[in-house]
Amino acid sequence: MLLVNPSSPNSPQSVLQRVFGYAAFRGAQAAIVDHIVDGGDALVLMPTGGGKSLCYQIPAIVRHGAGRGVALVISPLIALMHDQVGALEEAGVHAAFLNSTLSLDKAQRIEREMLSGRLVLLYVAPERLTAPRMLAQLDSLHARGLLSLFAIDEAHCVSQWGHDFRADYLALNVLHERYPGVPRVALTATADVLTRADIVERLDLGEARVFVSSFDRPNIRYAIAEKTDARHQLRAFIEEEHEGDAGIVYCQSRRKVEETAAWLGSEGVVALPYHAGLDAETRRRHQDRFLREDGVVMVATIAFGMGIDKPDVRFVAHLDLPKNIESYYQETGRAGRDGLPADAWMAYGLADVVNQRRMIDESPAAEEFKRAQRGKLDALLALAEAHDCRRARLLAYFGEEAGPCGAHQNACDNCRQPPVTWDATEAARKALSCIYRFHQNGGQRFGAGHLIDVLRGKTTEKVEQYGHAALSTFGVGAELGDQQWRAVVRQLVALGCIRAEGEFNTLELTSAAREVLRGEVNLQLRQQSVQAKRSTRGGKKGGGRKSRPPLPLDAAGLARFEALKAWRADVAREHNVPAYVVFHDATLAEMAQRMPTSLAALGEIAGVGVRKLEAYGHSILRLLND
Ligand code: ADP
Ligand code: ZN
């Protein structure tokens, strides 16, 4: 039996238009919403930016409209509840959150709103939901038929396999037994099958319908560059592609985070550090600025990012290699939630490969676990060294078949400019036999730098000290440059033919080297792309930082866009919400381009719902008129 008539003003389609200002559902959204509105359980697997929020918000609004009371949204991040609720209230939906930041007085007021059934959505942390006080209140709601649904956001937190395990999530299985008949929807952007199975089991979702979307992020451009001078490569990337844009730069260590943020700052980029070693207050302040201000770059360890739903992050840059493809996908996935073009850029080099391998080797974990980790790292290295489509490889890793992204507007680096390769089989043999000679010649081990010097026939102090000019491999690789040799060594470490050991990362052959030495492995390497001459624009940036609008605009349009952004900043400050909660950049750009002259025309623009039209319509029309 249908809960609402599709043509009623309370149907999902009309709620989508009226409340959120969007014309049509995306992908599986419509099916998911219908299923939950009709009381079904669901597991929703959708990539970041796919539009998961509407999958429970619209059922909550529709069911509330049909007299079914309050929807409970379980979310692990207290910090973000405030903004999510702010966005709903801006759209005219009565929502609230309960967490430890509220005064007793405020919390009691919200509880009364909930118990009356007037509230449409209530956001709570898992530990709060399963506390005796809350369960007693939910019992009362349930007895009166006023518990409309449970949405379990970031549902992968229930899995020990995942990266964000939260013990509090395990207690959520109580919901099924205690409130039968209340639909539950679990949502996650985590794609791997183990986590998926865990969610179903631990949350008792065996009966739930599973909705799996494609995990492709068509608006993200993937690019992986060979590391030469990481800082300068990063600066050039930001300067050339992302001046004034919001972005995240991931580094592995706290120290590198601090140094990189300070350096970017000295280069005129507004950059803030974020890592677990900073005190809570500083982290909160930095996160707040990142969310609220335009064009802030967050330099962070992976301590930053879970549940960051800032829609206009225009790039995610990795200065160090992530642990595996799952992490790479998660971290890069924070770019471009708004669907506009965004970049996932990574620089990686020999040291990254060495470090990641060592971290696994030296970890105290069981051998079986280490083996699994090595396998995952290998998959990531293969992605980094790939000559073919990065996107297709990424999706294949998650079990999805896709052709190369080719001529697509946001195609990956390899599709945009297919790399030239060279045959490194012979070079690899030379490198390996040189390491072998070192060993024969006194059992000493050396690092990559010295190895390359010997291969290139350079007479350094060290070469003289050890008499390495006398080795048969001295100078056998003079025809190759330093970069090429580093690529060869990196590839050999990636393939596991060489292991780096000890404090100085000295190189040692493994049994896997034998096949390469015998010439049985054919090694094709990417030609080191000629470093594009960096722009000589020079000078410090700063001052009038302007990001590019998401639509092509002429000079007058651009001026209108900037004026709208200034207006939005005022409103956001007044309402104590991030700017994107008021309107997204794309919505402002469309206003600037189409220049509507009536409320009706303004209401046609995507992202302008009835409530926002009422609240802001006149100010916007006036502003566009000037
Ligand atoms: P997720 O939680 O899956 O990462 P969100 O729910 O934050 O994604 O949605 C991502 C963006 O897409 C948001 O800005 C949202 O407003 C927008 N969006 C979602 N569904 C639609 C739709 N049907 N039409 C237009 N925009 C949409
Ligand atoms: Zn591609």
Side-chain angles (χ1 to χ4, degrees):
M1 194 202 69
L2 285 181
L3 191 72
V4 290
N5 186 319
S7 59
S8 94
N10 191 35
S11 73
Q13 178 64 36
S14 39
V15 169
L16 178 72
Q17 284 165 341
R18 180 165 46 83
V19 178
F20 296 95
Y22 296 136
F25 282 111
R26 266 191 206 154
Q29 277 178 336
I32 297 166
V33 168
D34 284 344
H35 182 70
I36 302 167
V37 165
D38 288 338
D41 290 346
L43 171 58
V44 172
L45 303 148
M46 209 184 254
T48 305
K52 284 185 286 301
S53 320
L54 293 189
C55 293
Y56 60 83
Q57 289 171 347
I58 291 186
I61 296 166
V62 171
R63 288 179 66 87
H64 184 271
R68 297 297 171 93
V70 192
L72 273 290
V73 183
I74 297 102
S75 162
L77 285 165
I78 291 181
L80 289 163
M81 291 179 184
H82 174 266
D83 293 344
Q84 281 160 339
V85 166
L88 284 164
E89 290 279 343
E90 283 286 326
V93 180
H94 191 20
F97 60 82
L98 274 179
N99 66 35
S100 51
T101 66
L102 296 179
S103 67
L104 188 64
D105 197 41
K106 185 91 202 277
Q108 284 175 346
R109 214 163 344 127
I110 291 169
E111 282 175 357
R112 279 197 299 275
E113 280 298 288
M114 169 182 76
L115 286 168
S116 72
R118 275 195 298 270
L119 211 52
V120 182
L121 288 119
L122 179 67
Y123 285 74
V124 283
E127 63 278 12
R128 180 121 186 175
L129 184 89
T130 50
R133 178 184 173 87
M134 187 81 192
L135 287 176
Q137 290 170 338
L138 295 184
D139 291 346
S140 151
L141 279 174
H142 187 231
R144 291 177 286 141
L146 291 179
L147 205 45
S148 78
L149 64 91
F150 291 106
I152 303 167
D153 207 3
E154 312 283 358
H156 59 276
C157 289
V158 81
S159 168
Q160 260 128 341
W161 284 105
H163 27 84
D164 301 314
F165 175 62
R166 300 258 310 215
D168 298 323
Y169 262 66
L170 293 174
L172 293 176
N173 63 2
V174 64
L175 300 179
H176 186 40
E177 293 153 31
R178 196 154 172 148
Y179 308 112
V182 179
R184 294 172 305 148
V185 49
L187 310 102
T188 179
T190 299
D192 68 283
V193 276
L194 283 177
T195 308
R196 199 180 296 180
D198 244 13
I199 296 173
V200 169
E201 191 192 315
R202 292 175 192 273
L203 293 180
D204 233 329
L205 284 168
E207 308 279 290
R209 194 160 146 202
V210 182
F211 294 89
V212 188
S213 301
S214 164
F215 273 75
D216 185 24
R217 301 287 312 277
N219 59 317
I220 297 187
R221 297 199 297 183
Y222 296 94
I224 302 180
E226 250 174 279
K227 208 183 261 182
T228 47
D229 176 343
R231 274 188 180 180
H232 290 96
Q233 286 172 289
L234 174 67
R235 189 193 52 190
F237 165 71
I238 294 180
E239 201 173 288
E240 284 158 23
E241 316 264 350
H242 291 290
E243 188 161 346
D245 284 345
I248 305 175
V249 177
Y250 281 112
C251 303
Q252 197 155 49
S253 70
R254 296 173 183 186
R255 198 173 115 202
K256 190 158 169 188
V257 163
E258 297 275 354
E259 289 172 357
T260 308
W263 183 77
L264 283 175
S266 73
E267 292 286 312
V269 178
V270 182
L272 300 172
Y274 190 105
H275 57 71
L278 294 170
D279 62 86
E281 168 56 22
T282 307
R283 273 182 305 183
R284 194 198 55 75
R285 209 176 52 238
H286 288 183
Q287 171 162 319
D288 225 50
R289 282 190 61 191
F290 177 70
L291 293 177
R292 275 146 210 264
E293 285 177 28
D294 271 343
V296 173
V297 174
M298 190 69 108
V299 186
T301 59
I302 51 169
F304 178 73
M306 213 270 274
I308 290 299
D309 60 0
K310 183 176 169 62
D312 56 353
V313 176
R314 293 271 67 86
F315 69 90
V316 169
H318 279 94
L319 282 192
D320 294 305
L321 202 64
K323 269 209 297 288
N324 50 44
I325 292 188
E326 285 91 340
S327 313
Y328 175 74
Y329 180 80
Q330 271 265 335
E331 287 151 27
T332 55
R334 289 165 189 148
R337 292 177 81 112
D338 54 10
L340 299 170
D343 275 300
W345 180 87
M346 174 160 89
Y348 97 115
L350 174 60
D352 289 298
V353 184
V354 167
N355 285 342
Q356 288 290 359
R357 280 240 181 284
R358 284 182 51 153
M359 270 172 27
I360 298 172
D361 289 344
E362 290 170 8
S363 88
E367 197 44 46
E368 185 194 2
F369 185 74
K370 289 188 187 183
R371 216 173 11 250
Q373 297 231 298
R374 284 192 196 103
K376 288 184 169 216
L377 175 59
D378 286 344
L380 178 64
L381 293 175
L383 175 72
E385 299 282 354
H387 312 154
D388 52 4
C389 180
R390 313 261 192 211
R391 189 186 309 277
R393 277 185 178 252
L394 204 51
L395 290 173
Y397 184 81
F398 294 119
E400 229 178 292
E401 240 176 273
C405 54
H408 189 274
Q409 180 201 353
N410 300 309
C412 71
D413 53 351
N414 285 351
C415 284
R416 254 177 296 155
Q417 199 173 47
V420 179
T421 59
W422 62 286
D423 187 340
T425 312
E426 206 40 49
R429 294 174 67 182
K430 287 176 181 170
L432 294 176
S433 40
C434 191
I435 297 172
Y436 182 70
R437 295 279 177 272
F438 288 159
H439 198 66
Q440 272 191 325
N441 190 38
Q444 283 280 79
R445 293 201 191 113
F446 299 88
H450 181 66
L451 170 69
I452 293 171
D453 285 344
V454 172
L455 287 163
R456 299 187 64 200
K458 280 203 206 161
T459 325
T460 63
E461 238 174 72
K462 210 170 190 171
V463 166
E464 290 188 350
Q465 184 188 347
Y466 291 96
H468 281 168
L471 292 180
S472 61
T473 48
F474 185 76
V476 291
E479 75 283 8
L480 297 182
D482 217 64
Q483 271 304 317
Q484 282 172 304
W485 276 118
R486 293 190 79 78
V488 173
V489 177
R490 189 183 69 230
Q491 189 64 234
L492 290 171
V493 177
L495 286 172
C497 301
I498 306 179
R499 203 174 26 231
E501 297 250 299
E503 188 186 350
F504 301 107
N505 287 322
T506 55
L507 305 176
E508 187 189 15
L509 299 184
T510 70
S511 53
R514 228 169 283 140
E515 289 167 30
V516 178
L517 272 168
R518 285 200 298 257
E520 289 167 10
V521 178
N522 181 280
L523 219 57
Q524 295 292 324
L525 295 191
R526 303 166 65 94
Q527 188 87 270
Q528 165 74 8
S529 56
V530 185
Q531 281 293 307
K533 190 98 187 83
R534 289 310 175 193
S535 72
T536 44
R537 266 184 286 164
K540 295 269 157 88
K541 292 189 295 173
R545 289 183 298 124
K546 288 202 174 68
S547 54
R548 272 163 308 169
L551 289 171
L553 293 173
D554 58 16
L558 214 54
R560 287 191 291 273
F561 180 61
E562 291 299 332
L564 285 164
K565 276 173 70 169
W567 166 84
R568 178 181 68 177
D570 289 341
V571 176
R573 209 167 306 117
E574 217 173 281
H575 295 198
N576 187 26
V577 290
Y580 60 78
V581 162
V582 181
F583 284 117
H584 284 184
D585 281 3
T587 304
L588 295 188
E590 206 177 324
M591 291 175 186
Q593 191 185 55
R594 288 177 34 179
M595 278 208 294
T597 50
S598 68
L599 285 177
L602 183 60
E604 300 270 290
I605 289 173
V608 186
V610 168
R611 176 59 167 267
K612 289 186 183 176
L613 192 63
E614 256 171 43
Y616 307 126
H618 287 293
S619 329
I620 293 169
L621 290 179
R622 211 173 313 120
L623 196 139
L624 289 174
N625 224 340
D626 286 345

